[in-house]
Amino acid sequence: MHAPSIIERKRDGKELDESEIRFFVRAFTLGDVPDYQMSAFAMAVYFRGMSPGETVALTLAMLDSGVRFTWPESAPRVVDKHSTGGVGDKVSLVLAPLLACDGSWVPMISGRGLGITGGTLDKLESIPGFRVGLSMEEALAQIERIGVAMMGQTSSICPADRKLYALRDVTATVPSRPLIVASILSKKLAESLDDLVLDVKYGSGAFMKTREEAVLLGEAMREVGNSMGVVTRVLYHAMDEPTGRAVGNALEVAEAIACLQGGGPEDLRNLVLDLALEVSRSERKQLAEYLDDGTALLRFRELVEAQGGDATAIDRFDEVHVAPVIREIPAPMSGVVTRVDAETVGRAANGLGAGRSRAEDPVDHAVGFDCLPKVGEEVVAGETLARVHARSTKEASEAMERFLAGLSVE
Ligand code: URA
């Protein structure tokens, strides 16, 4: 096969067959198709799209570029969740241990934050000692023991996706539906799941700005997942205000711990339970009980210990990362909160150092916002509306100003 001819066919809107896609991805993984040819291919896909059949072929080719989990015969159901990402989305930290409470296995492969949405791995790394770089062997042994592991993509899991994502990032080809579907699902399929729930977000703080776009992506992922033998369900959630009341790595972990202790913000708890229900055999009442009676927290403790983290930090998490400056933000007027714009809060948190713009940048675990108001709540002028955690008074003032620009009180 001839790589330029495959690029040409895609450029001209022709449908590629499975063998062409497989050849192209394999040659790219081996280095025989150079980055410039893959970049041209990605741009052709960006403009021409892919049929469902091509998308399945691309997903499979990316999956087969690496290894996948092989579970023993005796394994229970293997389940996971993927979220397309949102501001303040700390659901995975609660959901992974919760799903393991009823005996399911949860091999959660997560990513780092890029853009305005934080990454689960960054949040986990705010727990002192927590190691996200597990090998597949380590993850398998841990899952056999405690039912759950939370890790990053290893170099042997979907290497074609790793290489391609890095290229997409610098060639303006990230927002292509077939490329997103193949990228997300190849990694989830490497977990050899029985059931998967997808939390597809739309709105100001999400990748997809409208529900229509989110549904197109969600349905494409559902089709590909189901066609590969994974029972795939999709929930759609608005991301116009942040999830919960905290945005920032350690601040979000503190909120996730509160949820694992049966408390925390109501929207977070409901989101966790809604998603859990889709892949769990337990009823909602039972899942809620696991949160309320400490069962899920105990599983989280075991997870932290198993991955080298300091489990005692869980009980005093607000002391683990303390930003040099913590300022209260007073409400500018009295009334009902009608908008806490997720994108604005996410960008303000990024400005404080909570996120990154390049994959290799470090993040500051301590900074961000907490005690955020929710839409529909009443506030009184001058009373505390939220708190900003910053590295300096200057950064705190800038973040406060940005935050207030995204707030409406009527
Ligand atoms: N997350 C991924 O892993 N891949 C994409 O293409 C987009 C989001």
mmCIF file of all heavy atoms in Angstrom, residues 82 84 161 165 168 174 179-181 183-184 187 207, ligand 1:
data_model
loop_
_atom_site.group_PDB
_atom_site.id
_atom_site.type_symbol
_atom_site.label_atom_id
_atom_site.label_comp_id
_atom_site.label_asym_id
_atom_site.label_seq_id
_atom_site.Cartn_x
_atom_site.Cartn_y
_atom_site.Cartn_z
ATOM 1 N N HIS A 82 -16.134 7.136 31.193
ATOM 2 C CA HIS A 82 -15.283 8.172 30.611
ATOM 3 C C HIS A 82 -16.086 9.460 30.528
ATOM 4 O O HIS A 82 -17.246 9.446 30.131
ATOM 5 C CB HIS A 82 -14.807 7.787 29.203
ATOM 6 C CG HIS A 82 -13.988 8.887 28.577
ATOM 7 N ND1 HIS A 82 -12.657 9.060 28.873
ATOM 8 C CD2 HIS A 82 -14.341 9.900 27.748
ATOM 9 C CE1 HIS A 82 -12.211 10.128 28.231
ATOM 10 N NE2 HIS A 82 -13.204 10.650 27.546
ATOM 11 N N THR A 84 -16.114 13.419 28.922
ATOM 12 C CA THR A 84 -15.430 14.267 27.945
ATOM 13 C C THR A 84 -14.854 15.516 28.619
ATOM 14 O O THR A 84 -14.248 16.346 27.960
ATOM 15 C CB THR A 84 -16.380 14.673 26.791
ATOM 16 O OG1 THR A 84 -17.530 15.309 27.355
ATOM 17 C CG2 THR A 84 -16.798 13.460 25.984
ATOM 18 N N ASP A 161 -2.346 6.230 19.463
ATOM 19 C CA ASP A 161 -3.122 7.367 19.964
ATOM 20 C C ASP A 161 -2.206 8.406 20.606
ATOM 21 O O ASP A 161 -2.375 9.605 20.412
ATOM 22 C CB ASP A 161 -4.183 6.899 20.973
ATOM 23 C CG ASP A 161 -4.818 8.074 21.683
ATOM 24 O OD1 ASP A 161 -5.515 8.851 21.002
ATOM 25 O OD2 ASP A 161 -4.596 8.254 22.894
ATOM 26 N N TYR A 165 -2.276 11.938 19.068
ATOM 27 C CA TYR A 165 -2.841 13.037 19.856
ATOM 28 C C TYR A 165 -1.855 14.208 19.919
ATOM 29 O O TYR A 165 -2.240 15.375 19.789
ATOM 30 C CB TYR A 165 -3.257 12.588 21.257
ATOM 31 C CG TYR A 165 -4.156 13.626 21.880
ATOM 32 C CD1 TYR A 165 -5.530 13.587 21.684
ATOM 33 C CD2 TYR A 165 -3.626 14.703 22.584
ATOM 34 C CE1 TYR A 165 -6.360 14.584 22.182
ATOM 35 C CE2 TYR A 165 -4.437 15.700 23.088
ATOM 36 C CZ TYR A 165 -5.807 15.630 22.895
ATOM 37 O OH TYR A 165 -6.616 16.626 23.366
ATOM 38 N N ARG A 168 -2.121 15.984 16.671
ATOM 39 C CA ARG A 168 -3.397 16.706 16.542
ATOM 40 C C ARG A 168 -3.359 18.000 17.335
ATOM 41 O O ARG A 168 -3.884 19.031 16.910
ATOM 42 C CB ARG A 168 -4.552 15.830 17.037
ATOM 43 C CG ARG A 168 -4.907 14.703 16.070
ATOM 44 C CD ARG A 168 -5.825 13.698 16.740
ATOM 45 N NE ARG A 168 -7.067 14.290 17.180
ATOM 46 C CZ ARG A 168 -7.807 13.826 18.199
ATOM 47 N NH1 ARG A 168 -7.424 12.762 18.890
ATOM 48 N NH2 ARG A 168 -8.923 14.412 18.519
ATOM 49 N N VAL A 174 -7.586 18.499 16.702
ATOM 50 C CA VAL A 174 -8.227 17.832 17.859
ATOM 51 C C VAL A 174 -9.752 17.753 17.672
ATOM 52 O O VAL A 174 -10.340 16.694 17.833
ATOM 53 C CB VAL A 174 -7.838 18.517 19.192
ATOM 54 C CG1 VAL A 174 -8.709 18.013 20.338
ATOM 55 C CG2 VAL A 174 -6.371 18.236 19.522
ATOM 56 N N LEU A 179 -11.832 11.311 14.993
ATOM 57 C CA LEU A 179 -10.529 11.215 15.682
ATOM 58 C C LEU A 179 -10.730 11.189 17.197
ATOM 59 O O LEU A 179 -10.022 10.476 17.916
ATOM 60 C CB LEU A 179 -9.612 12.371 15.270
ATOM 61 C CG LEU A 179 -9.201 12.410 13.784
ATOM 62 C CD1 LEU A 179 -8.258 13.578 13.519
ATOM 63 C CD2 LEU A 179 -8.539 11.102 13.348
ATOM 64 N N ILE A 180 -11.701 11.937 17.687
ATOM 65 C CA ILE A 180 -11.988 11.939 19.129
ATOM 66 C C ILE A 180 -12.539 10.566 19.546
ATOM 67 O O ILE A 180 -12.103 9.976 20.540
ATOM 68 C CB ILE A 180 -13.005 13.044 19.503
ATOM 69 C CG1 ILE A 180 -12.411 14.426 19.243
ATOM 70 C CG2 ILE A 180 -13.435 12.919 20.957
ATOM 71 C CD1 ILE A 180 -13.414 15.583 19.404
ATOM 72 N N VAL A 181 -13.491 10.062 18.748
ATOM 73 C CA VAL A 181 -14.101 8.766 19.077
ATOM 74 C C VAL A 181 -13.021 7.683 19.136
ATOM 75 O O VAL A 181 -12.930 6.914 20.104
ATOM 76 C CB VAL A 181 -15.176 8.387 18.015
ATOM 77 C CG1 VAL A 181 -15.640 6.956 18.212
ATOM 78 C CG2 VAL A 181 -16.350 9.351 18.085
ATOM 79 N N SER A 183 -9.809 7.993 19.525
ATOM 80 C CA SER A 183 -8.839 8.260 20.580
ATOM 81 C C SER A 183 -9.382 7.828 21.944
ATOM 82 O O SER A 183 -8.721 7.105 22.703
ATOM 83 C CB SER A 183 -8.502 9.754 20.579
ATOM 84 O OG SER A 183 -7.776 10.110 21.715
ATOM 85 N N ILE A 184 -10.608 8.249 22.241
ATOM 86 C CA ILE A 184 -11.182 7.929 23.552
ATOM 87 C C ILE A 184 -11.466 6.435 23.663
ATOM 88 O O ILE A 184 -11.081 5.777 24.629
ATOM 89 C CB ILE A 184 -12.485 8.735 23.786
ATOM 90 C CG1 ILE A 184 -12.154 10.217 23.975
ATOM 91 C CG2 ILE A 184 -13.261 8.185 24.985
ATOM 92 C CD1 ILE A 184 -13.370 11.130 24.099
ATOM 93 N N LYS A 187 -8.574 3.692 23.970
ATOM 94 C CA LYS A 187 -8.009 3.555 25.324
ATOM 95 C C LYS A 187 -8.964 2.810 26.250
ATOM 96 O O LYS A 187 -8.547 1.997 27.071
ATOM 97 C CB LYS A 187 -7.666 4.934 25.889
ATOM 98 C CG LYS A 187 -6.396 5.489 25.294
ATOM 99 C CD LYS A 187 -6.150 6.930 25.685
ATOM 100 C CE LYS A 187 -7.035 7.864 24.927
ATOM 101 N NZ LYS A 187 -6.726 9.263 24.966
ATOM 102 N N PHE A 207 -15.941 20.797 26.040
ATOM 103 C CA PHE A 207 -15.371 20.690 24.713
ATOM 104 C C PHE A 207 -16.461 20.982 23.662
ATOM 105 O O PHE A 207 -16.267 21.715 22.699
ATOM 106 C CB PHE A 207 -14.976 19.226 24.622
ATOM 107 C CG PHE A 207 -13.847 18.902 23.731
ATOM 108 C CD1 PHE A 207 -12.946 19.853 23.330
ATOM 109 C CD2 PHE A 207 -13.689 17.588 23.291
ATOM 110 C CE1 PHE A 207 -11.909 19.508 22.509
ATOM 111 C CE2 PHE A 207 -12.657 17.245 22.483
ATOM 112 C CZ PHE A 207 -11.760 18.201 22.079
HETATM 113 N N1 URA B 1 -9.641 12.957 24.990
HETATM 114 C C1 URA B 1 -8.912 12.019 24.335
HETATM 115 O O1 URA B 1 -8.373 11.109 24.942
HETATM 116 N N2 URA B 1 -8.799 12.123 23.008
HETATM 117 C C2 URA B 1 -9.395 13.108 22.289
HETATM 118 O O2 URA B 1 -9.263 13.127 21.083
HETATM 119 C C3 URA B 1 -10.147 14.064 22.980
HETATM 120 C C4 URA B 1 -10.261 13.968 24.331
#
